[in-house]
């Protein structure tokens, strides 16, 4: 069965997260995804809070820019969260927006090399291995986590361009695709990926079409007709099912930046859209 979730965008202030996470959990939503866009909100801090405020909701971070992190520290953070909240953390890494990485002095010459080295080292650490590596960017000398996760930890990679998508499919446990990715691109990456999660633009309510038009204009996607879900539950479920048929394992609805009722959006997705997703 295709997993269904929603995004809590970091353009919303952190203090909004608690009520949205609780509404999603109480409504039976499967996944809540968080972003770590510069320079808005921390992915690890918000994930820890959302997990603590809820009982069963899986929380995804999509994504953590690896130039900002030492892999051993991220391993400790991820392992701690997995042991505190077993099987509920979904971790996604990416090479980050290069202009942002440059702003903080973390831009590297080969983002793909760094992403490969980071994902491979992190997966090994979270598997309980003793890791020694001397890569171009990631260097570890007999590092082993004292408290690795009890169960398996899924490490995804986010990707837009073809080279990064190929790398994600090769080294990660799954790939995260951004909103604006059409179903045919999901179908193209599906044979290579171990699992596929995709964000999908979504809006409901009487002003949904107007809000979505503004959203797609902001992203430069006004000319794409098949990447957004707008309308009532049946309309949105029909779009979700198109992505499911294309091979998506999880479809995460991304509300517009001006969504007026985030809690209601989470409940609507869990209670109304979920029932119509095959």
């Amino acid at each position: 069965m295709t997993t269904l979730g929603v995004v809590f965008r970091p353009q919303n202030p952190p203090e909004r997260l608690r009520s949205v996470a609780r509404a999603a959990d109480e409504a039976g939503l499967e996944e809540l995804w968080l972003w770590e866009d510069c320079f808005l909100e921390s992915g690890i801090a918000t994930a820890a809070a959302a997990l603590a405020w809820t009982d069963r909701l899986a929380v995804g971070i999509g994504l953590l820019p690896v130039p900002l992190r030492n892999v051993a520290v991220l391993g400790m953070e991820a392992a701690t969260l997995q042991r505190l909240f077993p099987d509920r953390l979904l971790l996604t890494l990416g090479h980050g927006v290069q202009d942002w990485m440059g702003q903080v002095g973390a831009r590297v010459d080969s983002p793909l090399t760094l992403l490969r080295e980071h994902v491979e080292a992190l997966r090994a650490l979270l598997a309980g291995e003793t890791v020694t590596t001397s890569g171009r960017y990631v260097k570890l000398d007999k590092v082993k986590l004292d408290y690795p996760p009890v169960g398996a930890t899924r490490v995804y990679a986010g990707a837009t361009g073809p080279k990064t998508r190929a790398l994600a499919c090769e080294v990660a446990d799954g790939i995260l695709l951004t909103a604006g990715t059409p179903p045919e691109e999901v179908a193209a990456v599906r044979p290579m990926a171990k699992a596929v999660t995709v964000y999908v633009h979504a809006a409901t309510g009487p002003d949904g079409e107007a809000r979505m038009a503004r959203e797609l204009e902001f992203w430069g996607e006004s000319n794409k007709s098949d990447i957004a879900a707008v309308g009532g539950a049946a309309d949105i479920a029909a779009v979700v099912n198109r992505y499911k048929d294309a091979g998506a394992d999880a479809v995460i609805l991304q509300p517009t930046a001006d969504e007026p009722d985030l809690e209601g959006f989470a409940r609507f997705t869990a209670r109304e859209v979920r029932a119509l997703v095959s």
Side-chain angles (χ1 to χ4, degrees):
M1 182 175 70
T2 299
T3 299
L4 196 60
V6 302
V7 176
F8 177 87
R9 296 172 61 164
Q11 287 78 12
N12 299 297
E15 56 269 25
R16 287 295 314 278
L17 177 59
R18 183 173 185 169
S19 63
V20 176
R22 286 188 165 178
D25 196 46
E26 291 166 2
L29 189 69
E30 293 143 83
E31 295 181 1
L32 178 69
W33 281 75
L34 310 169
W35 294 355
E36 187 175 77
D37 277 0
C38 296
F39 300 94
L40 295 166
E41 294 164 11
S42 157
I44 294 292
T46 50
L51 288 164
W53 288 326
T54 57
D55 295 320
R56 47 156 300 282
L57 184 70
V59 176
I61 308 174
L63 48 75
L64 297 171
V66 295
L68 299 181
R69 285 181 171 74
N70 178 281
V71 68
V73 174
L74 181 55
M76 294 161 60
E77 292 173 326
T80 299
L81 288 176
Q82 284 286 30
R83 290 180 73 110
L84 289 171
F85 309 100
D87 301 319
R88 293 176 57 203
L89 176 68
L90 304 162
L91 195 64
T92 307
L93 307 184
H95 51 54
V97 176
Q98 296 310 294
D99 287 345
W100 289 342
M101 299 303 101
Q103 281 184 268
V104 298
R107 188 167 185 165
V108 298
D109 291 333
S110 179
L112 287 178
T113 300
L114 172 56
L115 183 58
R116 174 187 291 277
E117 292 178 358
H118 202 111
V119 170
E120 291 178 341
L122 181 63
R123 291 185 69 204
L125 288 170
L126 295 177
E129 299 176 17
T130 300
V131 182
T132 295
T133 183
S134 182
R136 182 173 177 180
Y137 300 109
V138 175
K139 303 180 188 298
L140 298 173
D141 182 15
K142 292 179 287 207
V143 176
K144 186 178 188 298
L145 298 178
D146 286 294
Y147 294 104
V150 175
T153 302
R154 291 169 288 172
V155 178
Y156 281 38
T160 53
K163 291 182 179 179
T164 312
R165 287 183 181 181
L167 175 64
C169 293
E170 178 189 350
V171 302
D173 296 308
I175 186 171
L176 174 65
L177 301 172
T178 59
T181 302
E184 58 267 25
E185 291 186 23
V186 173
V189 80
R190 172 69 268 187
M192 301 181 292
K194 300 177 184 71
V196 178
T197 292
V198 60
Y199 292 154
V200 175
H201 295 296
T204 189
D207 61 345
E209 290 190 7
R211 287 190 289 110
M212 183 56 67
R214 292 193 295 269
E215 185 77 12
L216 295 181
E217 182 179 6
F218 173 81
W219 292 106
E221 296 170 345
S222 298
N223 60 333
K224 297 182 180 180
S225 60
D226 61 343
I227 61 166
V230 183
D235 302 303
I236 292 177
V239 176
V240 172
N241 282 323
R242 285 205 297 273
Y243 279 91
K244 174 196 72 71
D245 293 341
D249 298 281
V251 177
I252 312 302
L253 298 181
Q254 178 178 309
T256 61
D258 55 356
E259 166 59 51
D261 183 6
L262 294 169
E263 295 83 357
F265 185 81
R267 295 188 191 99
F268 165 78
T269 302
R271 293 172 178 169
E272 298 183 47
V273 179
R274 170 78 271 178
L276 300 174
V277 174
S278 55

